[in-house]
Amino acid sequence: MCGIFGCILKNGNAAPVIHEALKRLEYRGYDSVGEATIHNGKLYIKKDQGKIDEVHKTRNLDDLPGSLGIGHTRWATHGAPLEVNAHPHVDCSGQIALVHNGIIENFSELKLELEGLGHVFKSRTDTEVIVHLIEQVLKNNPSLGLADAVLEATKRLDGSYAIAVISTKEPNKIICARHESPLVVGVNENAIYCASDIPAFLPLTNKAVIINDGELVTLSLEGYEIKKITDASLVLREPKIIDWTPEMAVKQGYPHFMLKEIHEQPETLRNTLRLQEHYLDLMATFLDRAREVFLVACGTSYHACLAASYMFSKLAFLATYPVIASEFVEQHGKSVNIDSTILAVSQSGETADTLAAVNCARQRAATVLGLTNVIGSTLTRVSRVYVGQQSGPEIGVAATKTFSSQLSVLAQLALRLAKKRGKVSQDEMDFLAEKLEKLPDTVETIIQTQEEKVKQIAKKYKDAKTFFFLGRGISTATAYEGRLKLMEIAYVPAIAFPAGESKHGPISLVEQGFPVVFVCPKDETHKILIGNIMEMKARGASIIAVIEEGDEEIKKLADDYIEVPKGIPEVLSPIPFVIPLQLLAYYMAVERGHNPDMPRNLAKSVTVK
Ligand code: F6R
């Protein structure tokens, strides 16, 4: 998730306008920043790694001539957060500059092809192929205009993109195109803008044109022209007036970042399907060779590890040990050795407890693998192999979108390992891969159809003193995560444990009206879970069940239920089933008058032990 911006002004310099807009987009990424302008037929570029303010201090981002330009703030996915990988990227002739948000899946093939034709690449990004591709299209068809060349080039791209392109050959235009990454145009009498989202230009204009998937738009001071990429047909679309306050704008109309991030999950899950397969394969090879595998993390990331231990076991027949990072040194510090592999999972890549476990393992010559959201973080530097989960920055303190992304990456890893070990048939692999592809849509459906219901449930239980969260099998991890979310942002004491444990002690707490949340996918645990529901009901508990659509048996038993679409394989079930629990925690916090974005005593990145 990066931020792109572009503008053409009637008067004045574009650079300070781009700089300010990028500041408003910084929440989308802050690994590096860059700007390109055109003045008197010449391209000017400034870019560097680091946050916008840091780069501005050393490079003065306002000091570029010209009234037309583009800019970018980066969240690294392909290529480390270094100056050379910062956007804008430029073609070999130095005439075309481009910024991009998204992931190009077929960049390796395209790069090989373009290198074969003599193109020289400077960066390790996927993005750079696009600008060379445009250059090549123009070389092959010198009579084409820039817009047509961009249109032809985008037809060769697989993956997601929102791009803005400028060229000294057509110095009065910006060409943009989009597929699956957001793009909006802003207009007023004195300027025209393009951006990843409306807040980037909202202080400058409230007239916005939303660009849809598969569209290309040419911006000039005369206005904008939208075309469909498939057949170049024209699309007519009037600007809309946006009546957001500045505070609403930053959150794109959502009252809190947490809700915005819950709603972003269809998009972030799609991004997890665009991982660099080579690194997943390499990780699977290390896991396959290991004598013992520890899955090490804290908090929500630990819950992802717990779910992953079921995935590895069920798909790849590999026993792994999920360990809370702060306990790792005490529990395994003496036994971990050269034959051990540690898969550390950390959204921030900077959590002190996780890094301490990793250090201990490294000192004892174990292999360290990393899964993180922050390329360039300490975890990426100390891991033998790492994979970026590509969720973009998460601002709400409570992890939501980063959790579902971790689960998706870990499921893909388990599948690869299963394949390597010959433990699943091709049919089963294809079936699971197809279900994984559909998950973003499933999550979208859950949010669309169940959010209102969850809101009402939160209203009903807002004064409850304690909650239980129960599940069996892999749903135990989902239950733990639902409980953590509720506790940390709504300040409701809650207990989670495998449902089978209740009769070994915790059930003594249950009395009339005690709320118990059950996570109930229709997997092998379903029947026995019904027994656990009955046990709780018999003691007067109020049952809130997250069920599969049409699960009449549990509907009859539950006081309240939330439905997720049918047919989700057991190993993938934590992804859809956690969504209602995230929403429940969010609405409980709001009902109880707390700010879900800033839970007391907590920090987003815990860098002390
Ligand atoms: C809970 C939450 C924390 C983090 C934990 C680990 O909502 O966000 O429990 O999951 O502090 O953080 P990372 O994943 O950055 O290592």
Side-chain angles (χ1 to χ4, degrees):
M1 187 162 119
C2 305
I4 68 167
F5 182 79
C7 66
I8 313 175
L9 312 180
K10 253 189 195 150
N11 302 304
N13 273 2
V17 177
I18 301 171
H19 173 192
E20 282 306 310
L22 291 179
K23 285 286 296 168
R24 291 187 286 271
L25 284 172
E26 202 171 16
Y27 78 89
R28 299 181 67 88
Y30 37 74
D31 289 328
S32 65
V33 58
E35 295 181 356
T37 59
I38 294 179
H39 183 60
N40 288 341
K42 211 177 148 217
L43 195 62
Y44 293 82
I45 296 203
K46 281 195 180 183
K47 59 181 185 176
D48 206 349
Q49 67 193 76
K51 292 195 170 140
I52 297 176
D53 286 347
E54 291 161 17
V55 175
H56 182 53
K57 254 191 215 151
T58 52
R59 302 246 172 170
N60 190 1
L61 289 168
D62 295 343
D63 184 25
L64 288 157
S67 56
L68 172 149
I70 54 178
H72 187 270
T73 176
R74 178 164 187 249
W75 185 257
T77 56
H78 293 56
L82 301 173
E83 180 188 353
V84 68
N85 293 328
H87 302 216
H89 290 286
V90 177
D91 70 332
C92 298
S93 70
Q95 289 180 324
I96 308 170
L98 171 143
V99 288
H100 166 224
N101 167 34
I103 298 163
I104 304 303
E105 287 163 27
N106 57 338
F107 85 97
S108 308
E109 297 100 279
L110 290 172
K111 192 171 175 178
L112 265 181
E113 177 187 323
L114 290 160
E115 281 176 336
L117 292 167
H119 291 261
V120 178
F121 284 74
K122 297 192 188 80
S123 76
R124 295 182 61 109
T125 62
D126 54 335
T127 300
E128 199 183 344
V129 295
I130 316 174
V131 74
H132 289 284
L133 200 55
I134 297 168
E135 181 183 26
Q136 188 59 38
V137 172
L138 283 167
K139 236 186 219 165
N140 296 345
N141 311 279
S143 59
L144 280 188
L146 182 64
D148 289 335
V150 173
L151 190 135
E152 285 312 311
T154 52
K155 285 184 182 164
R156 305 246 359 241
L157 304 177
D158 292 339
S160 60
Y161 56 82
I163 52 173
V165 189
I166 56 175
S167 164
T168 54
K169 290 259 175 72
E170 296 185 42
N172 304 320
K173 286 180 186 162
I174 300 178
I175 315 296
C176 303
R178 110 163 240 204
H179 179 66
E180 287 191 17
S181 296
L183 181 67
V184 276
V185 166
V187 286
N188 65 21
E189 317 73 60
N190 298 316
I192 188 154
Y193 313 96
C194 60
S196 293
D197 63 29
I198 294 167
F201 54 66
L202 198 60
L204 306 164
T205 180
N206 65 350
K207 283 192 208 154
V209 188
I210 311 293
I211 306 303
N212 292 335
D213 268 354
E215 290 179 346
L216 174 136
V217 52
T218 303
L219 310 183
S220 69
L221 277 179
E222 280 77 61
Y224 58 92
E225 183 185 76
I226 308 174
K227 280 184 179 172
K228 284 202 175 134
I229 291 175
T230 40
D231 58 6
S233 59
L234 275 179
V235 177
L236 297 179
R237 192 171 300 135
E238 290 298 315
K240 284 202 281 194
I241 302 293
I242 306 296
D243 56 5
W244 293 347
T245 62
E247 211 215 326
M248 280 163 82
V250 186
K251 296 172 193 151
Q252 288 180 343
Y254 290 99
H256 297 101
F257 284 110
M258 181 178 175
L259 191 60
K260 173 175 170 284
E261 285 157 2
I262 291 174
H263 277 248
E264 268 167 24
Q265 287 177 106
E267 184 194 332
T268 46
L269 282 167
R270 271 181 206 114
N271 284 341
T272 62
L273 301 172
R274 305 194 170 103
L275 299 173
Q276 284 184 276
E277 307 203 344
H278 167 67
Y279 293 112
L280 275 182
D281 268 339
L282 208 55
M283 259 197 190
T285 305
F286 277 116
L287 292 173
D288 190 29
R289 282 191 204 145
R291 196 179 49 76
E292 56 181 8
V293 176
F294 297 101
L295 310 174
V296 179
C298 301
T300 292
S301 297
Y302 167 74
H303 299 149
C305 287
L306 186 59
S309 68
Y310 290 84
M311 295 172 186
F312 286 128
S313 164
K314 283 176 182 279
L315 294 173
F317 298 8
L318 175 76
T320 57
Y321 307 102
V323 186
I324 290 180
S326 55
E327 284 302 307
F328 183 81
V329 177
E330 285 303 313
Q331 203 175 0
H332 302 287
K334 288 272 180 334
S335 63
V336 64
N337 61 56
I338 196 164
D339 295 325
S340 318
T341 290
I342 278 74
L343 170 54
V345 178
S346 172
Q347 185 283 127
S348 61
E350 299 294 350
T351 298
D353 288 324
T354 309
L355 294 178
V358 162
N359 274 342
C360 159
R362 285 178 81 213
Q363 273 161 20
R364 298 186 58 88
T367 302
V368 173
L369 311 175
L371 167 58
T372 181
N373 194 25
V374 183
I375 309 296
S377 62
T378 308
L379 183 58
T380 61
R381 292 197 296 272
V382 297
S383 298
R384 183 90 179 261
V385 183
Y386 68 82
V387 173
Q389 58 180 86
Q390 303 184 166
S391 324
E394 190 172 59
I395 295 172
V397 166
T400 51
K401 63 175 182 172
T402 53
F403 177 63
S404 51
S405 292
Q406 286 169 345
L407 290 170
S408 170
V409 178
L410 291 163
Q412 291 175 62
L413 188 56
L415 269 173
R416 260 156 216 273
L417 185 60
K419 190 171 177 191
K420 212 172 263 299
R421 303 183 128 211
K423 299 297 185 193
V424 282
S425 67
Q426 192 57 46
D427 277 359
E428 204 182 337
M429 283 287 293
D430 293 346
F431 170 76
L432 286 167
E434 194 189 315
K435 292 287 180 185
L436 201 59
E437 291 267 338
K438 289 206 175 116
L439 270 182
D441 294 341
T442 308
V443 167
E444 201 153 10
T445 306
I446 296 168
I447 296 171
Q448 275 166 10
T449 61
Q450 303 299 303
E451 185 166 0
E452 191 48 44
K453 202 163 181 187
V454 178
K455 217 184 217 176
Q456 296 313 320
I457 294 176
K459 271 196 171 60
K460 179 169 166 188
Y461 292 96
K462 73 178 188 357
D463 296 320
K465 298 274 176 294
T466 327
F467 267 73
F468 272 0
F469 284 81
L470 305 183
R472 293 187 85 103
I474 197 166
S475 300
T476 305
T478 318
Y480 277 126
E481 177 58 10
R483 168 256 202 166
L484 175 62
K485 288 288 92 91
L486 185 73
M487 278 199 324
E488 67 179 337
I489 62 166
Y491 314 144
V492 182
I495 303 171
F497 46 89
E501 268 293 289
S502 46
K503 53 196 171 299
H504 300 288
I507 200 165
S508 67
L509 284 174
V510 175
E511 51 188 15
Q512 200 60 36
F514 188 105
V516 183
V517 178
F518 275 94
V519 183
C520 319
K522 267 208 158 168
D523 58 20
E524 281 165 15
T525 68
H526 188 258
K527 205 161 171 198
I528 192 157
L529 192 73
I530 290 181
N532 299 136
I533 296 178
M534 309 270 259
E535 284 160 16
M536 289 289 163
K537 243 187 121 54
R539 273 95 187 162
S542 295
I543 309 295
I544 304 160
V546 186
I547 58 169
E548 264 195 24
E549 215 168 34
D551 184 343
E552 299 305 326
E553 255 176 310
I554 297 191
K555 269 191 201 174
K556 274 189 217 131
L557 297 173
D559 295 79
D560 297 280
Y561 60 85
I562 305 152
E563 289 175 288
V564 311
K566 270 190 191 159
I568 292 151
E570 178 186 10
V571 285
L572 302 181
S573 65
I575 298 175
F577 277 79
V578 81
I579 308 293
L581 303 185
Q582 295 171 342
L583 286 167
L584 180 66
Y586 171 80
Y587 283 110
M588 285 286 287
V590 171
E591 282 297 328
R592 292 162 69 95
H594 305 306
N595 178 354
D597 284 343
M598 285 182 207
R600 65 188 177 213
N601 309 332
L602 292 178
K604 185 72 190 158
S605 181
V606 186
T607 51
V608 287
K609 283 202 265 173

